[in-house]
Amino acid sequence: MPASIWAEQRQKALSEVRTDAAFEGIGYDIDPAAVALANANAKLAGVGERCRFEVADVKDFTAADAATVLTNPPYGERMLEQRSAQQLMRQFGRHLRFADGWKKYIISSEPEFEHYFGKQATKKRKLYNGRLQCNVYMYF
């Protein structure tokens, strides 16, 4: 892509930023180093006042009514063995089964994600995380 087009589109996107929008992002991970990195990156991105990250296990996760849940759980490709990742998908699916007021967006490379999660997605979109083919599973 020509640098001039990149610069033009970047400026256009920056001019459309709404700093008055009400937003609070809360993230969780069981790895304290990942949480520290996320907090540092949020500050670098200029959203440190609106985002916070904490060490927590998914089984203890709760969100406010009408929350939007965005998650990219371990795939079993690097961080966990595949069986452990599948067990995490089952646990997360059971935990969110009755969270019908929440919108849920889950990125996974597991082709049988919906089976392990326990629910068919409302919509599904293919994407790549590096060279790894994934899907975004959307639940409304």
Side-chain angles (χ1 to χ4, degrees):
M1 172 179 297
S4 61
I5 293 175
W6 175 264
E8 177 186 320
Q9 291 304 311
R10 184 175 188 277
Q11 281 307 115
K12 181 178 182 291
L14 287 171
S15 73
E16 294 175 3
V17 169
R18 287 192 48 215
T19 58
D20 62 334
F23 172 81
E24 178 184 27
I26 305 167
Y28 303 98
D29 199 292
I30 59 171
D31 181 357
V35 169
L37 184 61
N39 276 312
N41 285 335
K43 288 178 186 167
L44 284 172
V47 294
E49 298 82 36
R50 293 182 182 230
C51 297
R52 75 175 192 275
F53 302 90
E54 300 172 1
V55 176
D57 193 311
V58 70
K59 72 177 187 284
D60 301 322
F61 172 75
T62 58
D65 291 339
T68 298
V69 177
L70 308 167
T71 186
N72 185 13
Y75 302 154
E77 301 284 333
R78 294 181 309 227
M79 301 168 78
L80 290 176
E81 302 242 353
Q82 190 169 12
R83 273 190 204 171
S84 296
Q86 291 165 348
Q87 183 59 32
L88 180 64
M89 291 173 216
R90 279 190 185 101
Q91 184 179 15
F92 198 52
R94 283 192 302 269
H95 188 69
L96 293 182
R97 183 159 300 164
F98 302 107
D100 290 332
W102 301 353
K103 293 178 185 167
K104 299 173 272 296
Y105 300 85
I106 304 163
I107 301 170
S108 179
S109 67
E110 171 59 61
E112 298 295 320
F113 173 82
E114 293 162 306
H115 167 74
Y116 294 111
F117 189 70
K119 190 172 184 179
Q120 192 79 12
T122 309
K123 287 187 178 182
K124 181 169 75 170
R125 297 287 182 260
K126 182 170 63 171
L127 63 86
Y128 286 86
N129 186 350
R131 290 185 292 181
L132 186 61
Q133 182 177 329
C134 298
N135 284 296
V136 178
Y137 297 91
M138 299 173 235
Y139 296 87
F140 310 118

